[in-house]
Amino acid sequence: MTMSANIIPKPKHDYDQNLGLKMLLLCLEEEEEIANHVITRCQILIPMFLRLEMGTEVEQLTEQETAIYDRQIRVWGVDAQRRLSKSHVFVSGLNGTAVEFCKNIVLAGVGSLTLNDDRLVTEDLLYANFLIPPDENDFRGKSVAELCCDSLKDFNPMVSVSVEKGALSIFDADFFQKFDVVVVSCCSLLTKKSVNSICHKLPKRVAFYSVECRDSCGEIFVDLKNYSYCKKKNDETIECELRYPSFEEAIAVPWKSLPKRLSKLYYAMRVIERFEALERRNPGETSVDDLPNVLNLRKEICEAHCLNESQIPDSLLRRLIASRTEFPPVCAIVGGILGQEVIKAISGKGDPLKNFFFFDAMDGKGIIEDISNVSS
């Protein structure tokens, strides 16, 4: 067969050189279509899975709450934020540490905050309470609670902040029953025992906290009654339960039965509380002139408890009674710890503190002490 010179048949293995590129582009287009489909399905399914896992809890947070608290929801979850938004907190005694705490929980998004402090503004209160406006014309005639209430409303308008007038000692069980958390500060030893006793005996669990800052030292006491929570250990969820004593039960524990390396602040605070109670003084109404009487009382108490007086140094007692003002950096630290613990108690997330916390700026250490005869 004769073939024309101009016609050269292509070999069977010849192919279009652009075919590979075309196939690659086609695959990429298909992958993009598949990816878009998967993303669309995830956008539909993920909220469905969340609702299945959390029940109706997602629906109980409004769109505004979800938008405002988005970052902290990522930290402790929707359920914890829902519990916070339904909680009611009462705070009495608005010193520097207490207002730091109030600021923290208002920003965290509790449901309501009730303030109690009928005192008028003094120079000492201005030193550590940043919620009080510095201009005398702004605070003349108003109580500390009223001034703090006005300022806290600006921090988070979604939180209901109100004032309850009256002495802390006049409130009864029906009043405290309305709250989930009660925090007291700068009150007498007798009042602290009384309020804690009321909260401890209520049928519902009302978390009780007391907080004090003197000079550069701070103390927190916690009473959560019978508290159950879950924590993870080695990829397993463990149910834990802690039993808390009341404040009166805790401080009644004999000193000779306490650990030898117990924080010296615990002993010092008990001596000063006893001194103020015997002298019928309000917390902080002491001066360096009271040191001789305080040292005599320390001797009596140490002898009764078979404790060496060196466990309560003169220098520490002097610091605690000499200063009538709080140290703002210590207020920030102790108030921050208190806010963290209250959020734990409300949300059920994390190991709670049991049952005393001490901080001393002189060594920069925060110490947790479990002081009770109640088994955990």
Side-chain angles (χ1 to χ4, degrees):
M1 179 179 178
T2 304
M3 300 182 67
S4 171
N6 294 329
I7 301 176
I8 303 175
K10 292 182 180 181
K12 292 182 179 181
H13 63 271
D14 193 14
Y15 59 90
D16 186 351
Q17 295 180 358
N18 294 323
L19 182 60
L21 179 60
K22 291 178 181 178
M23 293 182 67
L24 176 61
L25 292 174
L26 181 61
C27 289
L28 290 174
E29 289 175 358
E30 291 178 352
E31 289 179 1
E32 182 179 3
E33 184 177 350
I34 293 171
N36 289 334
H37 178 71
V38 171
I39 291 172
T40 302
R41 296 297 296 167
C42 286
Q43 289 173 340
I44 296 172
L45 292 174
I46 287 175
M48 292 175 60
F49 290 142
L50 287 174
R51 286 181 175 85
L52 286 172
E53 181 181 358
M54 299 178 185
T56 60
E57 292 168 0
V58 172
E59 299 176 359
Q60 292 182 8
L61 283 179
T62 66
E63 291 184 4
Q64 187 179 8
E65 287 175 322
T66 304
I68 290 178
Y69 305 131
D70 175 65
R71 290 188 177 182
Q72 56 204 53
I73 288 175
R74 296 170 190 237
V75 174
W76 52 56
V78 176
D79 181 50
Q81 189 62 50
R82 179 189 64 83
R83 292 172 185 241
L84 280 171
S85 67
K86 302 296 182 183
S87 64
H88 304 286
V89 181
F90 173 79
V91 180
S92 178
L94 298 172
N95 57 8
T97 309
V99 299
E100 284 280 355
F101 162 73
C102 290
K103 175 205 68 176
N104 292 334
I105 60 166
V106 165
L107 292 175
V110 295
S112 71
L113 173 64
T114 303
L115 307 176
N116 170 247
D117 195 327
D118 293 340
R119 294 177 297 173
L120 297 178
V121 177
T122 64
E123 186 175 348
D124 291 343
L125 289 174
L126 283 173
Y127 185 73
N129 190 328
F130 60 87
L131 294 179
I132 300 175
D135 189 348
E136 184 178 353
N137 294 324
D138 293 333
F139 63 71
R140 183 180 293 130
K142 288 187 175 182
S143 69
V144 172
E146 291 170 329
L147 293 167
C148 291
C149 179
D150 294 340
S151 298
L152 286 168
K153 287 179 179 178
D154 295 332
F155 279 83
N156 189 349
M158 296 192 66
V159 176
S160 173
V161 186
S162 61
V163 173
E164 186 71 35
K165 294 185 177 181
L168 178 60
S169 58
I170 69 171
F171 300 129
D172 58 12
D174 290 336
F175 175 80
F176 292 115
Q177 180 79 21
K178 299 182 294 184
F179 301 99
D180 302 293
V181 176
V182 170
V183 178
V184 301
S185 182
C186 54
C187 64
S188 68
L189 175 61
L190 180 61
T191 301
K192 186 189 300 185
K193 288 180 179 179
S194 174
V195 173
N196 178 223
S197 178
I198 293 173
C199 294
H200 196 83
K201 293 175 182 177
L202 289 173
K204 65 173 281 190
R205 182 173 65 84
V206 176
F208 174 88
Y209 299 81
S210 70
V211 59
E212 297 292 339
C213 270
R214 296 172 185 261
D215 189 62
S216 56
C217 300
E219 176 191 77
I220 298 173
F221 169 76
V222 182
D223 177 12
L224 303 182
K225 295 177 65 175
N226 295 331
Y227 182 74
S228 300
Y229 67 102
C230 295
K231 68 176 182 179
K232 288 188 176 181
K233 185 176 182 181
N234 299 328
D235 297 330
E236 294 182 1
T237 301
I238 302 174
E239 293 187 4
C240 304
E241 182 175 357
L242 295 176
R243 296 176 57 201
Y244 286 76
S246 68
F247 181 73
E248 187 167 10
E249 291 170 339
I251 64 174
V253 175
W255 288 5
K256 61 183 178 181
S257 66
L258 296 175
K260 293 182 179 180
R261 298 178 64 86
L262 189 77
S263 171
K264 291 179 171 58
L265 262 176
Y266 173 76
Y267 299 121
M269 294 292 282
R270 305 290 77 79
V271 170
I272 293 175
E273 278 181 343
R274 182 79 65 83
F275 175 78
E276 290 172 340
L278 291 173
E279 295 288 325
R280 297 186 178 180
R281 310 253 191 107
N282 292 321
E285 292 184 352
T286 55
S287 68
V288 70
D289 295 335
D290 294 312
L291 185 59
N293 293 330
V294 171
L295 294 178
N296 289 334
L297 180 61
R298 176 193 63 180
K299 182 179 179 181
E300 294 176 12
I301 296 175
C302 285
E303 288 177 352
H305 284 276
C306 302
L307 183 74
N308 194 309
E309 289 184 54
S310 63
Q311 290 290 91
I312 316 175
D314 294 8
S315 58
L316 178 57
L317 290 173
R318 179 186 293 271
R319 284 169 53 204
L320 295 178
I321 67 172
S323 179
R324 296 178 64 90
T325 58
E326 299 168 283
F327 192 39
V330 174
C331 295
I333 293 170
V334 178
I337 296 294
L338 179 58
Q340 171 184 284
E341 291 304 317
V342 168
I343 290 173
K344 284 183 189 177
I346 295 172
S347 66
K349 301 283 187 178
D351 295 318
L353 186 156
K354 183 173 185 283
N355 54 342
F356 281 90
F357 173 81
F358 301 98
F359 179 79
D360 189 344
M362 295 297 288
D363 57 20
K365 292 181 180 179
I367 300 173
I368 297 173
E369 301 283 8
D370 185 354
I371 301 174
S372 67
N373 282 329
V374 182
S375 60
S376 300

